Amino acid sequence: MFQSLLPEIADTVLHYLLQGFDEVEDEIKITVDTGSEQVASLSEASDGLAGELYTEEGWIARFSEYTPGN
């Protein structure tokens, strides 16, 4: 049962962490260097970091290796 809850716990923690970054964007700036470009503020580059997790092209769909039911 615990193993089946882990992905939900991880997603929830990540959601609230990213939401927190959005709320304090003036105090915490996340800079990303992709190798080909540098994004000065991740919060400014997104219309909501937490929302970036859930779309079909979101972070979970692109980077998760978890398959429900396995």
Side-chain angles (χ1 to χ4, degrees):
M1 183 171 141
F2 184 71
Q3 278 186 314
S4 65
L5 289 176
L6 280 178
E8 294 293 324
I9 292 168
D11 290 348
T12 301
V13 168
L14 187 55
H15 172 90
Y16 284 107
L17 177 67
L18 293 171
Q19 187 176 30
F21 286 149
D22 276 339
E23 290 174 4
V24 295
E25 68 182 272
D26 293 335
E27 298 168 32
I28 298 174
K29 296 245 189 260
I30 302 172
T31 302
V32 178
D33 185 353
T34 66
S36 61
E37 68 177 307
Q38 187 170 14
V39 178
S41 173
L42 196 57
S43 290
E44 290 176 15
S46 172
D47 60 351
L49 291 174
E52 300 277 346
L53 293 171
Y54 305 108
T55 65
E56 287 183 14
E57 296 175 1
W59 296 357
I60 292 173
R62 290 176 25 210
F63 301 113
S64 178
E65 294 182 16
Y66 171 73
T67 305
N70 288 342

